[in-house]
Amino acid sequence: IAPGYIVKPKLYNFAEYGVPQFRERVILVGVRMDTGFNFVHPKPEYGEGKKYPYFTAGQALKGAEEVPHNNEHQNVKEKTIEMLRRIPAGGNFTDIPKDSEYYVKGMISHVYRRIDPNKPSTTIIAAGGGGTWGYHYPEPRPLTNRERARLQTFPDNFVFEGSITEVRRQIGNAVPPLGIARVVESLIPLFEKQYESIDLRAYDKILKEMTIKNRLSSSI
């Protein structure tokens, strides 16, 4: 598309950018060639051996029960509660002994998956039902939508509209605001025109000679 764009994809794990959730997504940034702006994806700063430790699910959920919006608890069967009591932090349905009356067959790791308060949560999903809501620890219950929103780094004053199911989908389909903030910050110099212009066509040629796998992890 004239005048031409340089497109830089990168595989992000948002837990490495301060989000209390292991969530992998590919982000593509396209910059017009004639700007001469050499966008570079921000480096991850959170995790083992990095500048900061991971932001944990336990830290993110602290005080969440006091938020008045989108904090409704779902009705849970007593059998489900007993099942959850048999699943440790970070575990799922596979932790229930097969000879237990509460054993449940499952095909995916989402089934009766509980958070580990000492780590970022696993990926918050939009779907529900069949034991895939996402479950609290240590309380044997599903996460509330506000707790899901906390794990997605939405501020407490952001009010979601709709039924519990509709709100769960909105949250699960969203990009974590805190995770994408670093990308936005890296683009600000372009809009403020405070950068040293370079010939982007040379970089574009290098990128086009790389495999998609290598481009996703490139620092160019």
Side-chain angles (χ1 to χ4, degrees), residues 5-198:
Y5 287 77
I6 183 170
V7 179
K8 294 188 176 183
K10 183 176 178 62
L11 177 62
Y12 280 73
N13 186 334
F14 286 120
E16 297 178 338
Y17 292 84
V19 176
Q21 177 191 171
F22 292 115
R23 188 181 187 90
E24 289 189 329
R25 293 293 184 272
V26 172
I27 303 295
L28 299 98
V29 175
V31 178
R32 274 175 41 174
M33 292 282 193
D34 60 351
T35 65
F37 178 72
N38 185 30
F39 170 82
V40 178
H41 285 279
K43 294 181 179 179
E45 295 186 321
Y46 291 77
E48 296 180 9
K50 295 185 174 64
K51 186 176 180 180
Y52 306 106
Y54 282 127
F55 185 29
T56 68
Q59 291 173 306
L61 297 185
K62 188 176 181 180
E65 67 279 359
E66 299 173 4
V67 182
H69 309 292
N70 306 120
N71 227 341
E72 302 88 353
H73 286 258
Q74 296 170 262
N75 294 325
V76 187
K77 295 180 180 179
E78 187 61 34
K79 182 179 180 181
T80 299
I81 294 174
E82 290 301 323
M83 291 166 60
L84 293 172
R85 285 174 174 161
R86 289 162 171 77
I87 299 174
N92 61 16
F93 73 97
T94 60
D95 292 290
I96 302 175
K98 291 185 177 181
D99 59 355
S100 170
E101 63 179 301
Y102 297 104
Y103 174 73
V104 59
K105 291 183 179 180
M107 296 172 58
I108 55 177
S109 62
H110 297 327
V111 177
Y112 295 108
R113 187 168 62 186
R114 306 189 74 180
I115 64 166
D116 185 335
N118 298 314
K119 299 178 180 178
S121 79
T122 47
T123 304
I124 297 299
I125 63 174
T132 62
W133 281 329
Y135 294 85
H136 195 278
Y137 189 90
E139 297 178 36
R141 60 169 178 81
L143 294 167
T144 67
N145 279 329
R146 180 49 55 188
E147 289 169 334
R148 293 185 181 92
R150 280 279 189 95
L151 296 173
Q152 282 275 60
T153 68
F154 280 95
D156 289 342
N157 61 0
F158 190 98
V159 181
F160 295 87
E161 300 291 344
S163 67
I164 289 179
T165 299
E166 290 168 341
V167 170
R168 183 177 67 240
R169 288 174 182 160
Q170 293 172 46
I171 296 170
N173 284 328
V175 176
L178 183 60
I180 207 67
R182 291 289 310 284
V183 179
V184 174
E185 290 169 358
S186 298
L187 284 165
I188 289 176
L190 169 61
F191 296 99
E192 294 184 341
K193 297 183 179 180
Q194 296 182 357
Y195 62 92
E196 183 177 346
S197 180
I198 66 169

